Amino acid sequence: MELARRLTLTDAVAIGLGSMIGAGVFSVWGPAIEVAGSGLLIALAIAAVVAYCNAASSAQLAAVHPVAGGTYAYARAEIGPWWGFIAGWCFVIGKVASCAAMAMTFAAYAAPAGWELPVAIVAVGALAAVNCFGVTRTALLTRILVVASLLGLAIVAAAGFTAAPSAVPAPLPDLTLYGVLQGAGLLFFAFAGYARIATMGEEVTNPARNIPRAIAIALTGALIVYVLIAIVVILTLGADAATSTAPLAAVVDAAGWSALAPVVRVAAAAASLGALLALLTGIGRTTLAMARESDLPRFLAVVHPRWQVPYRAEIVIALIVIGIVLVADLRNAIGFSSFGVLLYYLIANASAFRQQRAARRYPRFVPVIGALGCLVLVNTLPVLASLIGTGVVIIGVAYRMLRLRVAR
């Protein structure tokens, strides 16, 4: 059974914004400033360029292959089943780790002290249930959460631009090339949500027109928000942002708007939920596409006859995310996620590069820049995260080799 085409352009843009303007914009500035220092805006520009190239490649591919699965489906069609499998596997493992990170971030903002773990688990279960009852409900809830996130960011921007800081911001550390690139890698983690639109190609109306437009609109909107917030954090906190676990709440406090800090915390919690919801949705669709091709167990390919969603995949993914929440910490989850996501986009750019002239919507140098950017940024990740990620990719490859041998 095929998925229903119910998502409009507005729905797709909302899902993309909900994925990008999520927990990352509320938490990424401290770690990014710590490594990039006075080169923060340069790092943001690098991350934006790589994200744009990846978005362009994803849009170009989605216009020709408007089916569920994202780069898993695109790479299978353009460069072969093995590359498609690796892309899909990297997406699933990377984004499952992202789900765990978003759940932990939500709990850090919303839960009373000592209750973070059960609150994170409940959040994953509740949003998985929403996904199981239809994609239009997902789009509606995502819109609500995006509005709440933007309200909190508007308060931060107003406080930062209109109020004098209570103290002189601490000078930023000097920039280094490696620090700027590492900062770009951290900031890219917050940009990565536009792929969620492409993975839902089987559910978007008029996909050849709406998917490329939705990706471009969502990415542009997120970039504008990020630039404004980066400037506010630099002007208000400076290097002190590196020591804050909630830097945007610290901006409001430093600007003398402490009464509105709880609103910012609520917005951060809403943003985390929005990102978690969109992540769960995208992983479910890629899992469905892989199960249809037997690259994951066929059990996961079942679509609910009434709600028309891959409910078995959603349930299994939620259980795995809960398992990660129980055993991992936030830093490890983010590092592992970045490894998988960057490899996924590397293959997306390679797939777009292989497309014939008639299918190209962007110059051929765009996927080249995107692929090189992914290679550079993945090599700035912590060594432990890269080693663990490499090991899990090898496990996936071994699984497919074994399945193919058994099938023969």
Side-chain angles (χ1 to χ4, degrees):
M1 180 183 296
E2 293 186 353
L3 302 177
R5 293 198 183 278
R6 295 176 175 172
L7 297 180
T8 64
L9 173 63
T10 304
D11 292 331
V13 170
I15 288 173
L17 283 173
S19 303
M20 283 184 281
I21 304 179
V25 73
F26 288 92
S27 59
V28 76
W29 306 109
I33 285 176
E34 184 176 10
V35 295
S38 57
L40 178 68
L41 293 179
I42 299 174
L44 183 60
I46 293 171
V49 168
V50 176
Y52 172 78
C53 293
N54 294 343
S57 294
S58 297
Q60 180 173 293
L61 290 160
V64 178
H65 306 286
V67 296
T71 299
Y72 170 72
Y74 312 153
R76 281 182 66 89
E78 297 292 343
I79 55 179
W82 265 109
W83 288 108
F85 172 80
I86 294 172
W89 183 246
C90 287
F91 180 87
V92 170
I93 63 175
K95 292 308 181 181
V96 164
S98 289
C99 286
M102 294 303 97
M104 286 185 255
T105 301
F106 166 74
Y109 277 96
W115 286 82
E116 291 85 358
L117 186 59
V119 168
I121 292 171
V122 169
V124 174
L127 294 186
V130 170
N131 276 340
C132 287
F133 286 105
V135 71
T136 52
R137 290 166 177 80
T138 296
L140 175 61
L141 181 55
T142 300
R143 287 190 195 184
I144 295 170
L145 295 175
V146 168
V147 170
S149 303
L150 291 175
L151 174 62
L153 294 174
I155 292 173
V156 172
F161 282 120
T162 64
S166 57
V168 176
L172 295 174
D174 293 336
L175 65 88
T176 63
L177 177 60
Y178 182 78
V180 167
L181 292 176
Q182 191 173 53
L186 292 171
L187 291 165
F188 178 80
F189 173 80
F191 271 113
Y194 49 78
R196 227 73 68 243
I197 302 169
T199 61
M200 303 178 72
E202 199 170 312
E203 295 162 278
V204 176
T205 59
N206 193 2
R209 171 181 177 271
N210 285 340
I211 289 178
R213 292 183 65 189
I215 290 174
I217 293 169
L219 180 62
T220 301
L223 177 58
I224 293 170
V225 171
Y226 283 17
V227 169
L228 291 174
I229 297 302
I231 293 172
V232 164
V233 171
I234 291 171
L235 294 178
T236 309
L237 298 180
D240 291 339
T243 61
S244 175
T245 57
L248 299 195
V251 167
V252 175
D253 287 333
W257 290 31
S258 299
L260 292 177
V263 178
V264 175
R265 291 185 176 275
V266 169
S272 303
L273 284 182
L276 176 58
L277 179 63
L279 283 165
L280 288 170
T281 305
I283 301 168
R285 273 60 184 175
T286 298
T287 301
L288 169 68
M290 295 182 72
R292 283 173 171 173
E293 300 292 342
S294 297
D295 280 337
L296 288 176
R298 295 282 297 179
F299 168 84
L300 301 173
V302 176
V303 175
H304 195 283
R306 178 180 178 186
W307 304 114
Q308 296 182 295
V309 295
Y311 70 104
R312 289 183 180 176
E314 296 284 358
I315 292 170
V316 170
I317 289 163
L319 293 175
I320 295 173
V321 171
I322 289 171
I324 295 174
V325 168
L326 289 171
V327 301
D329 59 28
L330 181 61
R331 179 181 232 175
N332 289 331
I334 290 176
F336 183 68
S337 171
S338 296
F339 181 88
V341 170
L342 286 166
L343 289 183
Y344 172 84
Y345 287 126
L346 172 63
I347 297 172
N349 283 297
S351 301
F353 182 80
R354 287 288 300 273
Q355 285 185 290
Q356 299 301 313
R357 182 181 299 275
R360 288 184 211 145
R361 293 169 174 254
Y362 304 92
R364 210 171 189 191
F365 67 79
V366 171
V368 173
I369 294 174
L372 291 175
C374 289
L375 282 173
V376 171
L377 295 186
V378 80
N379 280 289
T380 69
L381 296 175
V383 174
L384 180 60
S386 297
L387 290 175
I388 294 174
T390 301
V392 176
V393 171
I394 291 173
I395 290 172
V397 170
Y399 163 80
R400 189 169 193 268
M401 291 176 65
L402 179 62
R403 182 188 67 78
L404 292 175
R405 178 171 294 183
V406 170
R408 286 197 297 267

